[in-house]
Amino acid sequence: MDKTLLRWDETLFRDMEVFEIDYVPEQFHHREVQMVDLKFQIKPGLQGCRPLNTICRGLPGTGKTTSVQKIFSQIEEGTKKLIPIHVNCQIDNTKYAVFSQIYRKLAGHLPPATGTSFKQLFDAIARILLRDEAVLVVALDDANYLLYENEMNRVLYTLLRSHEAYPGTRIGVILIVSDMSIDLVHEVDPRVSSVLRPTEIYFPPYSPEEVYSILKERVLQGFYPGVLSDEMLGLAVEQTMQSGDLRVGIDLLKRAGLQAEHDARRKIEREDICKAYEISRYLHLDFTIRTLREEEKKLLAKLAELSSRETEMNAGEVFNAVKVDLTLGYTKFYEMIRKFDAMRIVNLHYRSGRGRTRLISLRYDPARIMERLK
Ligand SMILES: Nc1ncnc2c1ncn2[C@@H]1O[C@H](COP(=O)(O)OP(=O)(O)OP(=O)(O)O)[C@@H](O)[C@H]1O
Ligand SMILES: [Mg+2]
């Protein structure tokens, strides 16, 4: 029997779980500064006071959600007097939904599906907080989803001014946003911003060295020794950096491992990684498209449409082609393009010559972008 081949009942994975999208890693490095800052913000809650309000901002895949979740589990292990609540605003994006999640955490079950008014819900929450003398810290993850329909103002107003309706209640918020262009403090009403006064914690993109060390940890935990050479890990890091999202790298490793296993090989090879990348890279596109606003989605659709004819597009010409449909000024248009560039959806570069021409090219197949926008 050929020893270089994997038997059908053998596997390259020591623990496949570590490559899952919702896996919370035990080792969590390179976010020490942000974690210290976050703890500082939350700390008054441990003394029964209101936690300081915080905005965590950074591009997709920079560890914002994980940092907050790590600190929340530490709080839960240590005390009952400060109750951390994580709300995914992509799913719960109305005032009622957010407060239902808070209620669920405090009461252990969701409020009845019908017949509970918001007032009753809030009464119940306040009663529990006052009875248990507990302080709340509420993380509104992907908070940009609350910006539509004015829900952001409603949610924040009610949370941050709870002590007016229910004296003695104390609630702090952590707003998590991956949209670098949103200026939350200016988006909310003055009566909200006067009580919000947040400190911003920035999550910079990981450097290639950091991505290398994070992926290396997963490889050591997830694969048996010898499955992935350092050279192949280097390739995976390169591709992760191209997409700018750590999630792509983690997903890519899993797919490459499965591919090698499928071909009964004991090692992951270049082809496995390249093939996996062709699928995993779209993960980043999926995550970023979900965070775009309606007008940005429209502009991206236009770019996809235009670039199926010409891959390198002149920014001025694109603007002329879209300005009527999208009712945009050039400044706003260019801001959106710069944002796409920062999100690594497009590549923005200059060609010198007569003046400096700005050129835009998509980083993804236009057809794939259109598919996702639908
Ligand atoms: N420093 C790190 N060490 C190990 N794994 C990490 C680290 N940072 C992020 N990850 C992993 O990368 C993935 C993305 O991280 P996370 O979900 O925290 O990012 P995010 O900033 O919340 O992104 P988004 O804005 O898209 O929600 C997760 O699977 C997480 O486990
Ligand atoms: Mg997140």
Side-chain angles (χ1 to χ4, degrees):
M1 200 172 130
D2 189 346
K3 280 271 172 46
T4 60
L5 288 183
L6 201 65
R7 286 199 323 261
W8 73 270
D9 59 343
E10 284 180 305
T11 174
L12 303 180
F13 293 91
R14 195 207 297 265
D15 181 4
M16 203 185 290
E17 180 68 24
V18 307
F19 300 114
E20 289 303 314
I21 210 82
D22 53 355
Y23 173 76
V24 181
E26 227 144 90
Q27 288 140 316
F28 188 62
H29 302 297
H30 317 296
R31 283 302 173 237
E32 287 79 6
V33 175
Q34 288 77 5
M35 301 271 279
V36 167
D37 289 353
L38 260 170
K39 285 180 186 159
F40 174 83
Q41 295 289 104
I42 297 173
K43 199 167 175 193
L46 297 173
Q47 274 109 48
C49 295
R50 187 172 291 108
L52 302 172
N53 299 319
T54 312
I55 295 179
C56 293
R57 188 194 298 276
L59 289 171
T62 48
K64 303 179 293 297
T65 299
T66 312
S67 299
V68 169
Q69 275 171 338
K70 286 248 156 207
I71 291 180
F72 277 14
S73 351
Q74 288 174 16
I75 295 172
E76 279 181 334
E77 279 164 23
T79 178
K80 295 249 176 304
K81 292 295 173 195
L82 174 62
I83 304 175
I85 299 179
H86 177 263
V87 181
N88 181 346
C89 300
Q90 281 191 42
I91 299 168
D92 296 302
N93 53 17
T94 63
K95 183 171 89 168
Y96 195 89
V98 169
F99 279 78
S100 295
Q101 288 306 324
I102 297 174
Y103 177 83
R104 186 172 80 141
K105 181 72 186 249
L106 297 177
H109 55 87
L110 277 170
T114 52
T116 315
S117 69
F118 181 76
K119 168 97 174 50
Q120 288 168 323
L121 188 57
F122 202 9
D123 278 351
I125 291 172
R127 229 182 354 256
I128 299 174
L129 291 180
L130 294 172
R131 181 196 69 198
D132 298 347
E133 294 177 350
V135 174
L136 279 190
V137 54
V138 180
L140 299 169
D141 204 345
D142 290 315
N144 47 303
Y145 281 82
L146 296 176
L147 278 178
Y148 320 117
E149 315 285 342
N150 214 18
E151 292 295 336
M152 181 73 91
N153 281 317
R154 288 195 200 113
V155 170
L156 290 181
Y157 189 85
T158 320
L159 284 174
L160 298 175
R161 291 185 173 268
S162 70
H163 57 280
E164 292 174 1
Y166 302 95
T169 55
R170 291 178 168 169
I171 305 178
V173 297
I174 300 173
L175 298 163
I176 306 178
V177 281
S178 53
D179 187 328
M180 304 307 283
S181 68
I182 290 180
D183 183 357
L184 281 176
V185 180
H186 287 102
E187 297 259 1
V188 296
D189 288 351
R191 57 197 187 116
V192 172
S193 60
S194 68
V195 280
L196 181 60
R197 302 187 181 283
T199 300
E200 184 160 317
I201 300 179
Y202 177 56
F203 288 68
Y206 292 118
S207 68
E209 293 72 29
E210 288 170 335
V211 169
Y212 180 90
S213 89
I214 292 169
L215 292 185
K216 178 90 187 175
E217 271 163 12
R218 301 276 171 128
V219 166
L220 288 174
Q221 275 176 278
F223 289 126
Y224 284 109
V227 170
L228 189 81
S229 68
D230 254 11
E231 191 195 346
M232 288 306 111
L233 177 58
L235 179 63
V237 171
E238 230 173 76
Q239 295 183 322
T240 308
M241 291 309 293
Q242 263 179 43
S243 74
D245 192 332
L246 197 51
R247 267 183 288 244
V248 170
I250 297 170
D251 189 67
L252 176 132
L253 291 174
K254 174 171 131 189
R255 284 180 197 278
L258 287 172
Q259 183 62 41
E261 218 174 72
H262 175 266
D263 296 347
R265 274 180 279 108
R266 290 182 182 278
K267 274 179 184 296
I268 293 175
E269 287 166 11
R270 179 172 292 273
E271 287 72 21
D272 300 324
I273 294 194
C274 295
K275 223 167 158 176
Y277 181 63
E278 279 316 305
I279 301 173
S280 304
R281 62 193 296 239
Y282 287 102
L283 257 185
H284 176 67
L285 186 62
D286 291 340
F287 275 103
T288 35
I289 283 185
R290 290 217 308 253
T291 68
L292 296 180
R293 305 177 200 205
E294 266 329 294
E295 55 179 0
E296 292 164 343
K297 286 186 185 161
K298 278 190 194 148
L299 175 59
L300 186 58
K302 277 279 182 193
L303 285 175
E305 191 189 313
L306 293 171
S307 81
S308 23
R309 275 170 255 149
E310 196 177 9
T311 44
E312 279 212 323
M313 299 167 282
N314 180 312
E317 286 166 16
V318 173
F319 174 65
N320 286 331
V322 304
K323 68 178 174 198
V324 182
D325 274 4
L326 303 184
T327 50
L328 274 177
Y330 189 81
T331 314
K332 179 86 197 175
F333 162 80
Y334 197 62
E335 239 171 48
M336 279 154 66
I337 296 291
R338 289 233 322 253
K339 174 171 169 182
F340 291 164
D341 181 48
M343 293 178 121
R344 292 190 164 85
I345 307 178
V346 308
N347 199 355
L348 184 61
H349 51 272
Y350 298 95
R351 188 170 51 209
S352 39
R354 223 164 13 96
R356 291 222 306 165
T357 315
R358 287 159 165 160
L359 294 172
I360 307 167
S361 49
L362 284 180
R363 282 175 178 252
Y364 294 93
D365 178 355
R368 296 294 188 91
I369 292 183
M370 292 303 272
E371 237 171 65
R372 280 161 177 82
L373 285 169
K374 279 184 199 131

